[in-house]
Amino acid sequence: MKNIETLTKEAINLLKSLIETPSFSSEEDQTALLIENWFNQNEIPFQRENNNVWAFNKYFDENKPTLLLNSHHDTVKPNQAYTNDPFKAIEKDGKLFGLGSNDAGGCLVSLLATFVHFYENQNLSHNIVIVASAEEESSGKNGLNSVLKHLPQLDCAIVGEPTLMQLAVAEKGLLVLDVKVKGTASHAAHQNDDNAIYKSIPVMEWFKNYKFDKISEVLGPVKMTVTQISAGKQHNVVPSECDLVVDIRVTDCYSNTEILEVVKANVNAEVTPRSMHLNASSIPVAHGLVQAGIALGRTTYGSPTLSDQSVLSCQSLKLGPGETLRSHSADEFIFVNEIEEGIDLYIKILTDFFKL
């Protein structure tokens, strides 16, 4: 078995290669090849569908519970404020710059190294499956959600996202609604008491002011925000419709279905969800993974950002090197020592977890 120092060095080199290989969502075929090569070099059988690559520990036992390790290898497109070449891995002052270095390349290579560390262990309490997933940034149909049908029942998961290796024990879900308020079209010079724009005002006020009863201990209240409005074509025509877009950040106290039911019961409009699968997620603080992290001095918190946790039905922990505030920023970077610490802490947390 390779020592941690060797695995860490190889993981950092892999991250440099990933940075220098464009992998926008749905266009990750070349980074998928790099991940295939990683498994081949470590003599680990793997499977691939579309641009998702996954593998099981050597002594997989269907009688044992299964732990998922997951992070993604797709990126957003670089913004115009970059001063560095986003596709060049630049190491300077302890930082490794490049698109996807922080979100979520550092997490992915750290989990890959961790998986290799445990791969040949015969006496684990859990099976391990690792998935390097695609289309996370776009919540696409060919991402982690498309792989789940090929996996055994998952009992728990670590999803690698930049958390400074602190323990995100809950994550808000996302429900985006298209809301259509209908009225009657007419000439603006005539009296019209069925103006769709005016009728949209109480609808917007409801979204602004409504408070859901249950408040999450970790994530706080459900947050609803009207983010877009569209109506009318010309100044002298009252439109028959006013369209709103509403962004709802759902906590672990509610399912997306429950939120939708409340909205439909209170809003005088047609309400259509864009998707229903981006649910909130959580894991009890008493869970072995969380307790193993706390024993190593890690703190717990609730995350407002979305990840592949949203498609999992098992309890999941968001945990990884890097910092979320650097994600999608210009001249994105991760500290090299964050990767070193990430691999070390992943291994220590899982070692303690497998002993429970």
Side-chain angles (χ1 to χ4, degrees), residues 9-137:
K9 182 178 179 180
E10 292 178 352
I12 293 169
N13 287 334
L14 174 60
L15 177 54
K16 291 177 179 178
S17 297
L18 291 170
I19 290 169
E20 296 188 346
T21 307
S23 57
F24 305 137
S25 289
S26 305
E27 301 174 17
E28 315 94 340
D29 52 305
Q30 294 303 304
T31 47
L33 288 175
L34 291 174
I35 295 163
E36 288 186 14
N37 290 338
W38 165 276
F39 285 125
N40 282 327
Q41 290 165 8
N42 287 283
E43 300 181 346
I44 296 175
F46 62 87
Q47 298 179 56
R48 175 175 173 176
E49 182 176 84
N50 297 311
N51 294 325
N52 304 286
V53 186
W54 67 96
F56 300 91
N57 61 300
K58 186 173 183 178
Y59 296 99
F60 184 94
D61 183 347
E62 62 182 13
N63 295 313
K64 293 181 179 180
T66 298
L67 164 71
L68 169 69
L69 303 179
N70 163 250
S71 192
H72 64 94
H73 59 105
D74 64 315
T75 71
V76 296
K77 293 185 177 181
N79 64 58
Q80 295 181 342
Y82 262 84
T83 62
N84 298 326
D85 182 347
F87 301 111
K88 185 172 183 179
I90 301 170
E91 192 169 347
K92 181 180 180 182
D93 299 328
K95 301 174 181 177
L96 180 56
F97 291 88
L99 182 65
S101 56
N102 182 78
D103 182 19
C107 301
L108 175 61
V109 300
S110 297
L111 285 172
L112 286 167
T114 301
F115 177 79
V116 172
H117 175 80
F118 288 104
Y119 174 70
E120 293 190 358
N121 192 315
Q122 298 186 48
N123 301 308
L124 300 176
S125 63
H126 287 62
N127 301 309
I128 308 176
V129 55
I130 187 165
V131 180
S133 54
E135 298 191 10
E136 189 273 346
E137 296 290 3

Side-chain angles (χ1 to χ4, degrees), residues 47-326:
Q47 298 179 56
R48 175 175 173 176
E49 182 176 84
N50 297 311
N51 294 325
N52 304 286
V53 186
W54 67 96
F56 300 91
N57 61 300
K58 186 173 183 178
Y59 296 99
F60 184 94
D61 183 347
E62 62 182 13
N63 295 313
K64 293 181 179 180
T66 298
L67 164 71
L68 169 69
L69 303 179
N70 163 250
S71 192
H72 64 94
H73 59 105
D74 64 315
T75 71
V76 296
K77 293 185 177 181
N79 64 58
Q80 295 181 342
Y82 262 84
T83 62
N84 298 326
D85 182 347
F87 301 111
K88 185 172 183 179
I90 301 170
E91 192 169 347
K92 181 180 180 182
D93 299 328
K95 301 174 181 177
L96 180 56
F97 291 88
L99 182 65
S101 56
N102 182 78
D103 182 19
C107 301
L108 175 61
V109 300
S110 297
L111 285 172
L112 286 167
T114 301
F115 177 79
V116 172
H117 175 80
F118 288 104
Y119 174 70
E120 293 190 358
N121 192 315
Q122 298 186 48
N123 301 308
L124 300 176
S125 63
H126 287 62
N127 301 309
I128 308 176
V129 55
I130 187 165
V131 180
S133 54
E135 298 191 10
E136 189 273 346
E137 296 290 3
S138 62
S139 300
K141 64 180 182 179
N142 292 319
L144 176 62
N145 52 311
S146 69
V147 176
L148 297 177
K149 62 181 177 291
H150 302 299
L151 306 182
Q153 177 180 324
L154 301 174
D155 294 270
C156 55
I158 294 177
V159 175
E161 291 284 344
T163 70
L164 290 173
M165 289 305 290
Q166 303 304 332
L167 310 165
V169 296
E171 173 187 278
K172 284 189 175 180
L174 174 62
L175 184 61
V176 179
L177 303 179
D178 289 303
V179 178
K180 186 180 293 293
V181 181
K182 292 189 174 184
T184 302
S186 71
H187 195 292
H190 301 153
Q191 181 63 29
N192 185 344
D193 295 326
D194 196 35
N195 186 316
I197 295 177
Y198 291 162
K199 290 175 69 176
S200 72
I201 294 173
V203 173
M204 288 188 284
E205 288 288 344
W206 184 85
F207 281 113
K208 178 183 177 183
N209 297 321
Y210 185 83
K211 306 296 182 185
F212 285 86
D213 293 334
K214 292 183 281 188
I215 297 177
S216 168
E217 293 183 5
V218 180
L219 296 172
V222 173
K223 186 176 184 297
M224 299 193 293
T225 308
V226 177
T227 56
Q228 292 176 263
I229 181 170
S230 176
K233 299 295 184 182
Q234 59 191 66
H235 78 91
N236 59 349
V237 177
V238 175
S240 63
E241 297 178 349
C242 181
D243 294 312
L244 312 175
V245 176
V246 184
D247 178 296
I248 305 179
R249 301 293 163 153
V250 184
T251 72
D252 53 330
C253 291
Y254 294 93
S255 68
N256 286 356
T257 299
E258 290 172 323
I259 297 292
L260 181 61
E261 288 174 351
V262 171
V263 172
K264 286 185 173 181
N266 285 275
V267 168
N268 183 21
E270 289 184 2
V271 179
T272 306
R274 293 188 178 179
S275 69
M276 294 294 291
H277 68 279
L278 302 176
N279 289 289
S281 59
S282 65
I283 189 169
V285 172
H287 193 279
L289 283 173
V290 181
Q291 287 298 306
I294 291 173
L296 292 167
R298 305 290 95 187
T299 58
T300 61
Y301 74 103
S303 173
T305 57
L306 200 67
S307 75
D308 269 336
Q309 282 183 287
S310 63
V311 303
L312 296 174
S313 58
C314 66
Q315 295 174 339
S316 59
L317 173 67
K318 183 192 290 184
L319 174 67
E323 183 176 10
T324 187
L325 294 177
R326 298 183 211 138

